[in-house]
Amino acid sequence: MEIPYTVEAHPETGLNNGKIGIWLFLTSEVMLFGALFATFIMLRLGSDGNWAAMQAEAELNIPLATLNTAVLIASSLTMVMAWASLMRGQLGRFKLFGWLTVGCGGIFLVIKYFEYTAKFEHHHYPESSTFLAIYFAMTGLHALHVIGGMAWNAYFTGPGSKVFHTNRQWLTDRVEHSGLFWHFVDLVWIFLFPVFYLL
Amino acid sequence: MMDAMFPAAASEHAGRIDNMIDAVHYLMLALFIVWGVFFVYVLMRFRASRNPKADYVGVKSKMSTYGEVAVAIAEGILLLGFSIPMWAERVDEVPPESDATVIRVVAQQFAWNVWYPGADGEFGAQDLSLIDEATNPIGLDRDSEAGADDIWTVNQLHLPVDKPAIIHLSSKDVIHSFNLPNMRIKQDTIPGISIPVWFVPTKTTAQIREETGNPDYVYEIACAQLCGNSHYSMRGFLTVHTEEEFQAWLDEEASYLTGSDDDFFDF
Amino acid sequence: MSEHVDIDKQVRIYFLVFGALMVGTAATVGAYYLDVSVPVALTIGLFIASVKASLVACFFMHLIDEKKIIYWTLALTVAFFIALMALPILTSVTDQVGDFAEVEAHEPH
Amino acid sequence: MAEPVHASPAHDEHHHEQSFWRKYIFSTDHKVIGVQYSVTGLAFLFFGFVLMMVMRWNLAYPGEPIPFIGSLLGDNRAPGGIMLPDFYNELGAMHGTIMVFLGVVPLAVGGFGNFVMPLQLGAPDMAFPRINMISYWCLFMGGVTMFASFFLPNGAAGNGWTSYSPLADIALNGQTAWLIGMIFLITSSLLGAINFITTAIQLRAPGMTWMRLPFFCWAQIVTAFLLLLAFPPLEAAGVLQLMDRVANTSFFIPEGLVVGGEVLERSGGGSPLLWQHLFWFLAHPEVYVLILPAMGIVAEVIANNSRKPLWGYRSMVYSLIFLGFMSFIVWAHHMFITGMGSVMSTFFQTTTMIISIPSVIILSALFISLWGGSIRYNTPMLFALGFLPMFGIGGLTGLPLGLSAADIPLHDTYYVIGHFHYVVAPGTLFALFAGVYYWFPKVTGRKMNEFLGKLHFWPSLVFMNGVFFPMMIQGLNGVSRRLADGGITYDFAGEVAGLNRMMSVSAWCLAVAQIPFIINFFMSIRNGEKAGRNPWNSTTVEWLAPSPAPHGNFDQPIEVVRGPYEYSVPGSDKDYVPQAEPAST
């Protein structure tokens, strides 16, 4: 038994199943991070003007976070280049860009690890203030998404890429879908960075 | 229609809330009867043995549309004519504190601490570090400016009749809900914020005892929000006095202050 | 994406977007060191972030040239997202609630 | 049978043999998964029902030892067989959680949605069969977590199914396990919702336009959107509450709490109301998640057994979509007495009154659909008909609760319990029973016994009302909900405390009334009357597949040519014209 439209596009919608599925998933992610941003706004509004003090006390490392932003943006570029390489039929370049993407995710996490441990060394824990609580909640959840995205990309770049020779379109589509997720994670960070570090 | 079911009403606005609940139930009943009669008739009239061949089209009239419009209008009337103005009266038209009995109620697991400002009409300061469950559950600072004459009781709320009562509700621990069924008052107490409720009691405890023919009738304070294992027994009492009796009660409570700090067992 | 897309042109766009994102990041950080007042900083910061996010969504995620059904789904999400964003306002602005300022929280020790 | 039974489909034999595990346990076939969901849902419905029966003992006979099982419960729950209030709260919270998230949703959405919707769409399977399997196993894990939490040292969560903070933040009971369980359940629902929507968009058979979709499918689609967009905020809230419990954060805890005479050592700065907003942002749409599939089932059964098209199909569909949309902006009507100002309360009670109109339209359309029909009173039809007035009562009693002023005395009383149980128990559950009886032949190839079915229906109808109607009376008397002793502490509640015994006895009788169903269910799997492809002479596409349908569903290409309810078409030789059969000229 074959499920229709796993690879080829549905004549009416012009899309395959996976594309619709990943976008629906992203809408639920929008609501998930939306709820957390709503919590953030509520905590900030309800802080009686203590927010800046809590933020200052948390001593977030702006240069590291800027570097991390650059790393994630670069990984978005390599991600979309990986897909473009598949579109052009270049397996080698796809693998190069794919691993670069995973590597960027890894660098991001390593920097994140240094940031977190620096906090803990100064006894800045989630329980210390509401600022740190929502900071750890949101960046932590974001980091989990990065890990998920890395696993996903690593699968398609590594073992999953064998399909290239039998069903190239399938692989290209899957990479496009994992790319959508990856870009979304990048997009969330684009908001997290100024919201926590700069504003 | 349903007054017999409600707890005896004893506040100024209680009658209007009861009337509104009545009105909504009339609407519900009307709808239910219309649906019910139609339903029973249809079930008998169109059973397969009596009506072997179904009609492809069915009802052609626009009656249901009219019915739905009527429901919408009725709901609109309930909303605009009753509910919205009554709610505005509850939350926006709080009478000035100078004309009212102003009291604080601090809820905790599992009791209602009632806090009166005393003779000066001002509440003293509250300091959490002074809290002692046995001797000072509200953390009242007796040394603060207005704190010396403040009176507190546990589970005993006393009010004068026919005078607005403004009660500032807060909670020490979790969410409770301050429920005075006879007064048609219910308000959650949210930790961290203070929420005022107000009402005008219209019947003294003595009057309601006479009316109900029950010499032991008491106005009760119930907790309406799950607050932990003894939620079911978080019961307080409201006593409504005449103005003179209320003053006498306040004076008596104040007299304990000069003697001993410990007025925990005086109810 | 359909096959007839000129992928070389796309790749040029991707690099341009990448450059713009980097410039945006630099601008956000730069604005932070300008030390402007909080409302101005919020406006600038969120404006730049929104522009960057739109660039990612439109070009990296191909939203600029997407099918109708995805636009519809996203429109629905935006509607509910707005309802969700009303939530903090509802939590903090309750006109009935009095202030509890008199109650000082003194932590022991 | 009006229709000849087709010979066993030949292509069955081409299927390579799958192992037992692949075929029945880790199957990717939507029908097997649907059955797994249904069985899990029914089992948890039964378990939740047992919890309620134990609770009802303490309500009827507070302070008296529980007979039979009292001594088995252990000293930390019921020393000497007498229930502790903490245990009562656990039972209450877990009854609510299990019935909603592990009973009705798995059965109505996971079970019926999975089994029936692809068949009705003419699809070979769900769009993502493997995600479908993962979604079921997430639910299963959530169920195991919830069930296991009863055996934690401090028992299961006991803070109400609403888990209001700060109580749920500081409670010593199994709230942490509850939150972990909920995260599993939410993940399951999200994956399921993605699957449902994609399937409905992509896998409809040729010719199955949106306005030819059976009402049941519409209900599932709207439900899936509600799950997809409303559940994530609760997932976020669950994560935050989990952090409050395990990492000592203060998302829902304000400054300066004093618990048991000790100042709570937290940073403070959070808001208890935030939890309520995030919770009800899901939990109001969740009500429609429970009720919409039920309406869908009732619509199918009524059209089929009144042998005529649904009346006002289009306006029903539009009402359904409108209902789903509006359900996102009414949530704060659960929070009128949390200190809400007049602007907010005006907004939320207005939206609440607006949302009642589409419900009235759908219910009216179902009533009117009966007019002119040729009504067959079989078991599914009885349950579907029972749904209508019961849901009517449930919906109508929502009106005084949706008006903020009338809500003051009624809020958090048994009136609320009565209201939503009428919606969910005699309402939704009756519809789900209708669905079980109606689609049983498609699942097993055999019909359920009619006599036992009727023996199930009539006592259930009587005792359901016996359980829930007195709650309205208690509620009008002002009896609060969630009182471990049923309110006898309070004088004003004492007048109606006697009703508790009547309700409890009704509840236990209701349990007895389910015995015919259980017997019928297991007996009919092997010994029921054999059903062909289309035992009910129905029009929708699922009845064109063999019963039981093989992996891949259909043995013939499906092309839909007309609307879903073409019953008693004038000039046709039989009283139904299947959706996917060429028109006879």
Side-chain angles (χ1 to χ4, degrees), chain B residues 5 25 43 83 92 186 220, chain D residues 342 349 377 411 415 477 491:
Chain B
M5 285 191 214
H25 280 82
L43 293 188
S83 191
D92 293 340
K186 191 178 287 154
E220 290 171 304
Chain D
S342 51
Q349 53 186 323
Y377 291 104
H411 192 93
Y415 197 88
N477 266 280
D491 286 352

Side-chain angles (χ1 to χ4, degrees), chain D residues 325-337:
Chain D
F325 192 81
M326 289 298 289
S327 74
F328 276 87
I329 49 172
V330 297
W331 78 86
H333 67 211
H334 297 267
M335 298 168 60
F336 282 139
I337 64 161

Side-chain angles (χ1 to χ4, degrees), chain A residues 19 23 28 30-31 46 85 95 97 106 139 146 150 152 159 166 177:
Chain A
K19 185 81 168 271
W23 271 109
S28 83
V30 167
M31 296 304 275
S85 308
K95 288 199 164 189
F97 281 117
T139 56
V146 172
M150 280 168 69
W152 199 346
T166 52
H177 303 160

Side-chain angles (χ1 to χ4, degrees), chain A residues 90-169:
Chain A
Q90 300 159 322
L91 181 63
R93 283 177 65 119
F94 158 69
K95 288 199 164 189
L96 172 70
F97 281 117
W99 288 123
L100 274 176
T101 310
V102 176
C104 283
I107 296 172
F108 178 89
L109 288 177
V110 169
I111 295 177
K112 199 86 235 160
Y113 169 79
F114 283 121
E115 275 194 83
Y116 276 10
T117 45
K119 296 286 153 297
F120 296 147
E121 272 168 24
H122 291 92
H123 299 287
H124 293 322
Y125 297 110
E127 65 190 75
S128 309
S129 70
T130 42
F131 175 84
L132 279 163
I134 189 74
Y135 164 79
F136 277 109
M138 291 187 80
T139 56
L141 202 64
H142 178 263
L144 285 180
H145 279 77
V146 172
I147 294 171
M150 280 168 69
W152 199 346
N153 280 326
Y155 174 76
F156 284 118
T157 315
S161 63
K162 285 196 205 84
V163 193
F164 181 81
H165 306 290
T166 52
N167 195 345
R168 202 176 111 195
Q169 190 58 44

Side-chain angles (χ1 to χ4, degrees), chain A residues 13-15 19 23 27 31 34-35 38 62 70 73-74 76-77 80 83 88 169 176 180 183 190-191 198-199, chain C residues 3 7-8 11 14-15 18 22 25 28 32 41 49 53 60-62 66-67 69-70 73 77 80-81 84-85 88:
Chain A
T13 59
L15 300 165
K19 185 81 168 271
W23 271 109
T27 62
M31 296 304 275
I62 294 173
I73 290 175
S76 259
L77 179 71
V80 79
W83 171 77
R88 286 161 158 168
Q169 190 58 44
E176 187 191 0
L180 285 172
H183 299 312
I190 284 176
F191 282 102
L198 303 179
L199 298 179
Chain C
E3 300 298 323
I7 204 74
D8 293 320
V11 167
Y14 296 149
F15 276 94
F18 172 71
M22 283 305 193
T25 309
T28 324
Y32 169 73
F60 286 172
M61 298 169 89
H62 315 309
E66 197 43 275
K67 299 292 181 294
I69 194 127
I70 287 179
T73 317
T77 314
F80 293 140
F81 184 80
L84 191 61
M85 283 301 143

Side-chain angles (χ1 to χ4, degrees), chain B residues 126-239:
Chain B
Q126 195 183 19
D127 183 344
L128 297 185
S129 63
L130 295 175
I131 285 182
D132 180 298
E133 288 303 319
T135 58
N136 190 0
I138 51 177
L140 169 64
D141 184 357
R142 285 283 181 207
D143 299 329
S144 64
E145 201 179 328
D149 60 350
D150 285 16
I151 297 165
W152 57 267
T153 66
V154 177
N155 288 335
Q156 297 291 337
L157 173 61
H158 291 257
L159 289 174
V161 75
D162 290 333
K163 186 176 175 188
I166 302 177
I167 302 176
H168 294 275
L169 294 166
S170 60
S171 168
K172 272 161 73 177
D173 37 42
V174 302
I175 298 177
H176 303 270
S177 191
F178 181 72
N179 179 14
L180 293 172
N182 301 94
M183 303 297 159
R184 308 291 187 267
I185 284 292
K186 191 178 287 154
Q187 171 62 51
D188 283 1
T189 67
I190 312 284
I193 49 179
S194 164
I195 304 171
V197 289
W198 75 278
F199 60 96
V200 184
T202 53
K203 287 174 192 162
T204 63
T205 302
Q207 275 173 316
I208 200 81
R209 283 179 177 171
E210 201 172 307
E211 244 176 59
T212 56
N214 176 359
D216 301 321
Y217 197 98
V218 284
Y219 294 131
E220 290 171 304
I221 307 170
C223 183
Q225 184 67 266
L226 181 65
C227 57
N229 63 3
S230 299
H231 162 61
Y232 70 100
S233 62
M234 193 167 154
R235 181 193 191 204
F237 301 92
L238 162 66
T239 313

